[in-house]
């Protein structure tokens, strides 16, 4: 019986659509493939830091990552916290087709922005991560959900130890600076301008890059 295998988008096409060269794409795909074969592989989170020689692209049995696998991977690297909710939101940010799975193209397009995109591109990607319901605005509830998810994931490594109201205090501080017209929501332009004007806020909003 013939086995039907998934192959990624043509490397030439992905090379033109991302900030990765063909060799880097090959390595990223190998790491992505290993996630499918071995969900608990340590190669997935660090594969983009291991740019080295690669041979021809190998075949992959399915070529997609589902949310359960994605959460398992994140749980390994944050054993002292609960990474499930943050992994859920991050998975949705990569799942641009909203079909419950991440293909290699979805993964590498997002990774290209996070690692090598312009400041504007990174901030836009971050905005869409926080815009949980994808309505084009960030409200307090959405930002609170993401901030809490990050703190839950960091667990006991958060120093000093957090009190229950600290995430909400951070959200209030963010909104005071971002919501320029005080209408209760933050637009993309408000978000970008506020981050560009405030170095501390920029570092805070880019925390997700350190937990990729």
């Amino acid at each position: 019986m013939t086995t039907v295998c998934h192959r990624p988008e043509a490397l030439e096409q992905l090379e033109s659509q991302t900030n990765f060269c063909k060799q880097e794409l090959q390595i990223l795909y190998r790491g992505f493939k290993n996630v499918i074969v071995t969900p608990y592989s340590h190669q997935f989170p660090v594969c983009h830091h291991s740019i080295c020689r690669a041979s021809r692209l190998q075949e992959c049995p399915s070529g997609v990552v589902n949310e359960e696998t994605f959460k398992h991977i994140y749980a390994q690297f944050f054993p002292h916290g609960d990474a499930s909710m943050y992994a859920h939101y991050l998975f949705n940010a990569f799942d641009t087709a909203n079909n419950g799975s991440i293909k290699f193209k979805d993964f590498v397009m997002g990774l290209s922005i996070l690692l090598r995109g312009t400041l504007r591109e990174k901030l836009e990607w971050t905005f869409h991560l926080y815009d949980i319901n994808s309505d084009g605005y960030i409200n307090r509830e959405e930002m609170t959900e993401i901030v809490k998810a990050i703190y839950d994931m960091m667990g006991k490594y958060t120093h000093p130890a957090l009190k229950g109201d600290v995430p909400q205090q951070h959200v209030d501080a963010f909104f005071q600076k971002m919501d320029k017209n005080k209408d209760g929501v933050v637009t993309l332009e408000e978000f970008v301008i506020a981050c560009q004007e405030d170095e501390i806020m920029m570092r805070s909003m880019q925390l997700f890059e350190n937990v990729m």
Side-chain angles (χ1 to χ4, degrees), residues 4-189:
V4 177
C5 296
H6 172 85
R7 291 180 181 275
E9 300 286 334
L11 289 184
E12 293 76 12
Q13 180 180 351
L14 288 178
E15 189 174 3
S16 68
Q17 294 175 333
T18 68
N19 297 310
F20 296 121
C21 68
K22 182 177 179 179
Q23 186 182 51
E24 291 169 329
L25 288 167
Q26 288 175 321
I27 294 170
L28 286 169
Y29 184 63
R30 287 176 184 277
F32 189 84
K33 175 180 69 72
N34 287 336
V35 173
I36 309 300
V37 177
T38 310
Y40 300 98
S41 169
H42 286 269
Q43 297 184 41
F44 179 74
V46 298
C47 62
H48 55 277
H49 295 302
S50 305
I51 306 302
C52 59
R53 292 185 179 179
S55 59
R56 61 185 177 83
L57 207 60
Q58 295 184 359
E59 293 181 351
C60 166
S62 64
V64 296
V65 173
N66 60 31
E67 185 172 344
E68 182 180 1
T69 299
F70 198 79
K71 287 182 176 179
H72 279 312
I73 295 166
Y74 255 74
Q76 291 181 91
F77 291 91
F78 299 93
H80 301 288
D82 181 359
S84 60
M85 284 309 299
Y86 184 78
H88 167 73
Y89 294 131
L90 191 61
F91 179 89
N92 287 343
F94 276 105
D95 179 18
T96 55
N98 297 314
N99 60 7
S101 64
I102 300 174
K103 294 183 179 180
F104 178 66
K105 181 179 180 180
D106 301 326
F107 170 71
V108 79
M109 293 286 285
L111 198 63
S112 174
I113 293 173
L114 294 176
L115 294 180
R116 297 178 181 174
T118 64
L119 176 59
R120 172 80 188 200
E121 288 172 337
K122 289 181 179 181
L123 289 175
E124 287 182 355
W125 200 96
T126 308
F127 178 87
H128 293 303
L129 172 68
Y130 279 76
D131 180 15
I132 296 174
N133 65 4
S134 301
D135 66 351
Y137 303 94
I138 300 175
N139 59 42
R140 287 179 179 271
E141 291 74 20
E142 289 173 321
M143 184 171 287
T144 301
E145 287 296 316
I146 298 292
V147 171
K148 283 183 177 179
I150 292 174
Y151 282 134
D152 288 345
M153 179 171 58
M154 300 307 293
K156 71 177 185 179
Y157 286 112
T158 304
H159 181 79
L162 292 174
K163 297 180 181 180
D165 60 345
V166 170
Q168 188 60 54
Q169 290 176 4
H170 285 186
V171 171
D172 291 341
F174 288 149
F175 258 78
Q176 185 176 359
K177 295 179 180 180
M178 290 183 180
D179 186 12
K180 301 294 186 181
N181 61 1
K182 308 302 178 185
D183 63 351
V185 294
V186 174
T187 66
L188 174 60
E189 287 307 314

